[in-house]
């Protein structure tokens, strides 16, 4: 049975990627598109300044955008993908959940709430059962699940592979080189970023530091205990369009050689959800890969790429990369939607 789905914030950078991924989806039928009051009432083709490098799917172009309000979304829609600014998400996502909709959200609001699962399906699918606690505590018929920040999604799968192979992670430092699409279409002006790098992305470092510990934590059926690894991050915006590249240093309790890390990451399993990449972590032998322009579409943009493994004074060092609006945002949300469906939450 096809599930009727909608997108909250359908006209933005992530919303457009969601349209691209959901329009041809075999299990989901796109039945609702919402945005701000400025776009409500317009055809999608007029409301969205389409910037995805493929045409707007014809049937979506002719859909009418509505207000982002539970009363404006048809009752037979079961699942909503949210790509709203976090301030808007904080206000409206709970209202949709209360009205009975299941929301798979990209927005940063509530990611760290005790009863909100923050999920990367290949890493911590079991955390989804936190929804039982959430429904009980909040009295919702609907539910709220989050995917992490795009730069968190890029490096946490590599840490999960090391932890899964038995390494006790003690300290991690990550330095990011983040693409401009991560800030949304109106995020960074060309005068600011061309011929430049900006060593500050407001609030980003804290997200990497806290979300990673939640994702790697243990859920015992009642509450979630975060992983005690210490994570420190420094975040930089650079003039690439898509694809966040990250330099990572990992200190483990045991000896962790580059060859051990390559084995752990290359063999870390993917899932068989419709949007899962065949291989989750694509390991490059070449020391100068991965690179954003060359490697952001590995696994259809749903895989993580890693390379440049070497020993350093501060433990193992390597680089990783993921497509920030696909694996890091829209694709992550769709994958969570597929997990919600396969686990019977719709
Ligand atoms: N870009 C990324 O790589 C990325 C990665 C991970 C997570 N995220 C998160 O995903 C969310 C969306 O990011 P984005 O880059 O797609 O932003 P964006 O390009 O600015 O798009 C924002 C969307 O929200 C709508 N919107 C704005 N204000 C609204 C309001 N008051 N009521 C209802 N709808 C409203 C906009 O509609 P109008 O067109 O009508 O203004 C648009 O559809 C953010 O929370 C962001 O932090 C982004």
């Amino acid at each position: 049975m096809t599930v009727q789905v909608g997108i909250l914030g359908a006209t933005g950078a992530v919303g457009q990627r969601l349209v691209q991924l959901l329009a041809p989806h075999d299990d989901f039928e796109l039945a609702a598109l919402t945005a701000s009051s400025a776009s409500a009432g317009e055809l999608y083709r007029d409301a969205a300044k389409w910037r995805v490098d493929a045409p707007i799917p014809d049937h979506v172009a002719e859909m009418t955008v509505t207000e982002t309000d539970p009363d404006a979304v048809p009752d037979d829609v079961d699942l909503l993908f949210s790509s709203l600014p976090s301030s808007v998400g904080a206000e409206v996502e709970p209202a949709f959940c209360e009205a009975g909709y299941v929301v798979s959200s990209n927005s940063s609001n509530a990611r760290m709430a005790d009863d909100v699962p923050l999920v990367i399906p290949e890493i911590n699918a079991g955390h989804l059962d936190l929804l039982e606690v959430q429904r009980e505590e909040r009295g919702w018929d609907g539910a709220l699940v989050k995917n992490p920040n795009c730069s968190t999604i890029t490096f946490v799968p590599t840490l999960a592979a090391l932890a899964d192979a038995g390494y006790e992670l003690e300290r991690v430092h990550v330095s990011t080189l983040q693409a401009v699409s991560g800030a949304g279409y109106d995020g960074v002006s060309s005068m600011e970023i061309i011929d430049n790098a900006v060593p500050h992305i407001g609030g980003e470092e804290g997200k990497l530091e806290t979300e990673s510990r939640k994702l790697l934590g243990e859920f015992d059926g009642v509450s979630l205990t975060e992983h005690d690894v210490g994570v420190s991050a420094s975040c930089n915006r650079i003039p690439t369009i898509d694809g966040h590249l990250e330099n990572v240093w990992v200190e483990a309790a045991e000896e962790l050689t580059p060859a051990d890390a390559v084995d752990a990451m290359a063999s870390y399993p993917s899932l068989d959800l419709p949007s899962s990449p065949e291989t989750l972590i694509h390991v490059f032998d070449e020391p100068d890969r991965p690179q954003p322009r060359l490697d952001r579409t590995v696994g259809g943009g749903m895989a993580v790429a890693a390379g440049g493994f070497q020993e350093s004074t501060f433990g193992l060092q390597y680089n990783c990369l993921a497509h920030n609006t696909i694996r890091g945002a829209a694709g992550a949300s769709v994958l969570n939607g597929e997990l919600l469906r396969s686990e019977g939450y719709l």
Side-chain angles (χ1 to χ4, degrees):
M1 274 274 289
T2 309
V3 175
Q4 302 277 300
V5 304
I7 303 172
L8 309 179
T11 51
V14 177
Q16 294 186 19
R17 282 287 181 199
L18 280 164
V19 165
Q20 185 190 30
L21 298 176
L22 291 170
H25 202 286
D26 287 337
D27 300 331
F28 297 147
E29 187 176 340
L30 199 43
L33 302 171
T34 86
S36 73
S37 305
S39 304
E42 291 190 48
L43 291 180
Y44 186 72
R45 71 160 78 252
D46 300 323
K49 283 188 194 152
W50 186 257
R51 287 168 168 110
V52 174
D53 47 2
I56 308 187
D58 284 343
H59 68 287
V60 181
E62 299 305 320
M63 288 173 70
T64 300
V65 175
T66 69
E67 296 276 357
T68 302
D69 183 306
D71 291 337
V73 172
D75 289 342
D76 59 355
V77 167
D78 286 323
L79 175 62
L80 292 167
F81 295 97
S82 171
S83 53
L84 294 165
S86 56
S87 56
V88 181
E91 207 177 302
V92 305
E93 287 174 352
F96 278 97
C97 297
E98 205 165 327
Y101 297 98
V102 174
V103 179
S104 172
S105 169
N106 277 289
S107 308
S108 60
N109 54 288
R111 280 189 192 139
M112 295 304 295
D114 287 348
D115 63 349
V116 174
L118 180 68
V119 175
I120 300 175
E122 298 92 341
I123 310 305
N124 65 338
H127 289 197
L128 199 65
D129 292 338
L130 197 52
L131 290 181
E132 307 288 352
V133 178
Q134 182 188 92
R135 281 178 162 164
E136 177 131 357
E137 281 182 358
R138 303 202 190 204
W140 287 345
D141 288 331
L144 180 62
V145 60
K146 295 273 166 176
N147 56 257
N149 179 275
C150 42
S151 43
T152 307
I153 295 186
T154 303
F155 82 114
V156 167
T158 64
L159 298 184
L162 298 175
D164 198 59
Y167 295 98
E168 193 186 326
L169 306 177
E170 291 187 332
R171 291 203 299 182
V172 173
H173 178 70
V174 54
S175 177
T176 71
L177 303 158
Q178 298 183 218
V180 291
S181 62
Y185 284 131
D186 300 324
V188 191
S189 80
S190 53
M191 287 298 285
E192 196 181 353
I193 199 68
I194 293 174
D195 185 30
N196 204 9
V198 181
H200 174 72
I201 302 176
E204 192 84 345
E205 290 159 358
K207 291 178 192 168
L208 276 78
E209 291 165 3
T210 56
E211 292 175 13
S212 53
R213 287 197 294 268
K214 182 170 179 180
L215 286 158
L216 295 169
E218 291 285 336
F219 177 58
D220 64 7
V222 179
S223 61
L224 197 146
T225 307
E226 290 180 14
H227 196 291
D228 59 6
V229 60
V231 181
S232 109
S234 60
C235 296
N236 303 279
R237 186 78 67 197
I238 60 161
T240 44
I241 301 288
D242 288 317
H244 291 350
L245 178 64
E246 303 184 351
N247 314 124
V248 187
W249 291 258
V250 177
E251 292 175 59
E254 307 80 8
E255 187 191 5
L256 172 56
T257 67
D260 294 334
V262 166
D263 283 350
M265 291 184 200
S267 61
Y268 189 74
S270 187
L271 296 175
D272 61 359
L273 294 169
S275 300
S276 305
E278 205 166 302
T279 302
L280 179 63
I281 305 176
H282 184 102
V283 176
F284 283 92
D285 293 331
E286 300 90 330
D288 61 348
R289 306 282 287 275
Q291 296 179 18
R293 187 153 46 86
L294 300 180
D295 303 316
R296 59 194 166 207
T297 55
V298 286
M302 286 299 286
V304 171
F309 292 86
Q310 55 185 299
E311 279 168 21
S312 83
T313 314
F314 300 106
L316 173 76
Q317 184 187 345
Y318 58 93
N319 306 314
C320 56
L321 170 83
H323 195 299
N324 55 296
T325 61
I326 303 180
R327 180 76 227 196
S333 246
V334 170
L335 203 59
N336 279 349
E338 292 167 355
L339 183 68
L340 283 158
R341 182 174 191 264
S342 78
E343 294 301 308
Y345 279 103
L346 301 182

